[in-house]
Amino acid sequence: MDRLPIIYVRGYAGPTAGIDAAVDDPFYGFNHGATHVRVGGDGDPHFYQFEGPLLRLMGDEDYRLLVQGDQHRYLLDAADAELPQASLWVYRFYDQAATTFLPPPHENLFERVFSKIHQRVTADGFNIETAAAGLYDLIALVRQKTGAPKVHLVAHSMGGLVVRCMMQKICFQPEDDGRSRVPAKDLVAKFFTYGTPHGGIDFQLDALDWAQQAFGPAGSDIFAPEKMYGYLEPGAAFGDEPPRGSDFDPQAMPEEAFPPKDVFCLVGTNPKDYGLARLTVGPKSDGLVRIDHAYVRRAHRAYVYRSHSGPYGEVNSEEGYQNLRRFLFGRWQVLLGLADLPTAAGDDDQWQADMRLAIRGLPVIISERQAAHWCPIQLSKEIRRRSGKPDRTVPLAATFLLERAPATPGPPLDKSAAARMRYSLTLRVFELQGQNGHFRFDDHLEQVPAWSDSLIVDIEPGTQGEGLQVWAAWNSMVEGAGERFDPITDGLPTPSQRQPAALEREDEGYACHIDLPPTARALPVLGADATVRIQIRDRRAGS
């Protein structure tokens, strides 16, 4: 995949005091790494050294960081198409609102105290639409100086709303000189968000929601769902609310603005490691943004047990980086879903599924949805929602796979470089029995699934990079440790089971169905015909 310029847009810094602290960081936090990770059943912290996404992109993908005292000045001084396309840029939109670049004012004691208080409750100089217009100008400048046809945008938290304001509103407004602006889909190749409140921020207390919307201390009213209409809708003004009867949905991105298929939303599911703010937002969140508000509808998603920011944050995490890298540069898109399910689900019994997706060679889980993290897959609800629709496949997970390193003469330096691409999908299905709208626990065994297993999938492109072969096997059916067999079907008991899966051509890719084990098909929620549907698309073919 093409290595286009990457522009990073940071999140909310709070009042002026927070803005002053943010601008002291030369790369607005995109350089931050971490040394803590929660692993194992106890969830205790362990040491794991993650260098940060900035350094990793330079090492893994040969990106260059060009500064020389002032990135923006460096861009202005460069000749057109002189700079490398594989370059990293930080949008420093908060600099103009900071006070640290100004000479200290002459103030008496009272004025100094008032100024300090003022700086902790206001964010003078920041306006989301001004920031969005500045981002549009920066993209144009980066394209001009690198010669790149498009750029990638990577944003944390509020930064994703700045990007969306540019895409959905600013790009539909004329320039100051009356010229039409270029649509975002012609400027941006891919858009990745970490913990962005695409649906706004809701608090557990209605009084806090009212205060946020009414007063918006330090500019926080941009997170009120009702006020998002003003900066996401062309023709609206900030403060406007959707007209009565409007179908405005802040989590919907219009196709004419930017295609959701080119958006990836990383959703954090760990609320406990995000300071005191978690007490006002509660569980089902990353400590600040609710899980069900952290994505654009129809966009790609991954769920990771990370907090909004801090030592266990999303940006400074291996999980976040691996999803980012694969979304930007992975050739193969893989979609997994449960297919051929019953046409209806019982009204009282509630079936849920935990899901974990892992990729060979990575030290982290690439995506996981668990009841323990407040985000299981609601099987019964999904089946009912899809009743009567042509495609009743229940989505489980999606990921992107990097191309294998080209073969070199002699033994490979890295064993995994010459291996097939392998990933595993672990499913645990639970039943919560109900009666008259209430759960019944008479026969319930906590944390004992009705069925659990792992599907191990190997994917190998053809020798000329065309075509695919896929092997898949349930771990319970493999005779021995999975790492002993490559492809995984070599561990199945009979020769007929060791053949590659039957692939069907589909548009720009392939699809196949893998039968669930007998234990799973005996469950009424899955049924005797249930399969896992695997869709693999070559993104290079559609670029």
Side-chain angles (χ1 to χ4, degrees), residues 72 145 180 210 217 220 232 237 249 269 288 294 299 323 403 411 432 437 454 507 536:
H72 194 260
K145 301 301 182 176
S180 297
W210 172 80
S220 63
L232 292 180
D249 176 3
T269 63
L288 182 64
N323 277 288
E403 283 190 275
L432 298 174
S454 295
D507 298 327
I536 306 169

Side-chain angles (χ1 to χ4, degrees), residues 481-497:
E483 54 267 25
R484 289 175 46 203
F485 306 105
D486 196 347
I488 189 62
T489 51
D490 284 355
L492 295 179
T494 64
S496 62
Q497 295 175 303

Side-chain angles (χ1 to χ4, degrees), residues 8-12 128 153-165 191-201 223 228 231-232 250-251 253 263-268 286 288-296 307-308 314-315:
Y8 176 68
V9 189
R10 70 154 289 142
Y12 179 64
I128 190 169
L153 295 180
V154 178
H156 175 229
S157 192
M158 181 199 73
L161 301 182
V162 172
V163 173
R164 289 189 58 197
C165 177
F191 172 34
F192 184 98
T193 67
Y194 298 94
T196 289
H198 292 285
I201 293 178
F223 301 119
M228 296 176 72
Y231 61 84
L232 292 180
Q251 289 178 253
M253 178 173 284
V263 181
F264 192 108
C265 303
L266 192 79
V267 181
D286 64 3
L288 182 64
V289 179
R290 292 180 62 85
I291 291 171
D292 56 359
H293 283 184
Y295 56 84
V296 169
S307 295
H308 192 71
E314 295 154 17
V315 178

Side-chain angles (χ1 to χ4, degrees), residues 216-273:
S220 63
D221 52 342
I222 63 172
F223 301 119
E226 298 81 2
K227 286 198 171 183
M228 296 176 72
Y229 175 83
Y231 61 84
L232 292 180
E233 186 72 16
F238 186 73
D240 290 351
E241 295 188 8
R244 187 183 301 274
S246 167
D247 59 356
F248 172 75
D249 176 3
Q251 289 178 253
M253 178 173 284
E255 193 78 32
E256 62 270 21
F258 194 76
K261 69 179 180 62
D262 293 326
V263 181
F264 192 108
C265 303
L266 192 79
V267 181
T269 63
N270 173 10
K272 70 179 183 179
D273 285 317

Side-chain angles (χ1 to χ4, degrees), residues 2-6 63 83-89 146-150:
D2 293 336
R3 285 163 174 75
L4 299 172
I6 295 174
Y63 267 73
L83 302 179
Q85 293 190 15
S87 50
L88 298 160
W89 307 94
T146 63
K150 295 182 180 182

Side-chain angles (χ1 to χ4, degrees), residues 336 358 360 421-426 453-459 470-476 478 480-483 485 487-489 492 514 534:
L336 300 142
R360 178 163 56 186
M421 298 177 288
R422 172 174 289 187
Y423 64 87
S424 69
L425 174 74
T426 298
D453 210 337
S454 295
L455 180 66
I456 302 173
V457 182
D458 289 324
I459 299 176
V470 175
W471 298 263
W474 292 98
N475 193 51
S476 61
V478 176
E483 54 267 25
F485 306 105
I488 189 62
T489 51
L492 295 179
I514 307 300
I534 303 175

Side-chain angles (χ1 to χ4, degrees), residues 357-440:
L357 185 66
I359 295 177
R360 178 163 56 186
L362 296 187
V364 294
I365 300 298
I366 203 77
S367 183
E368 59 182 326
R369 298 184 63 180
Q370 297 190 43
H373 300 167
W374 309 96
C375 57
I377 299 168
Q378 302 288 353
L379 288 178
S380 299
K381 179 180 177 181
E382 293 291 339
I383 291 172
R384 283 192 288 267
R385 192 162 68 88
R386 287 168 168 75
S387 179
K389 294 184 178 180
D391 183 6
R392 293 186 295 105
T393 302
V394 174
L396 295 174
T399 191
F400 301 88
L401 300 177
L402 299 169
E403 283 190 275
R404 297 180 304 161
T408 56
L413 296 177
D414 180 358
K415 182 179 179 181
S416 65
R420 297 177 177 91
M421 298 177 288
R422 172 174 289 187
Y423 64 87
S424 69
L425 174 74
T426 298
L427 293 174
R428 303 171 73 216
V429 176
F430 297 86
E431 179 186 17
L432 298 174
Q433 296 179 339
Q435 187 173 4
N436 299 324
H438 299 281
F439 290 127
R440 183 166 53 85

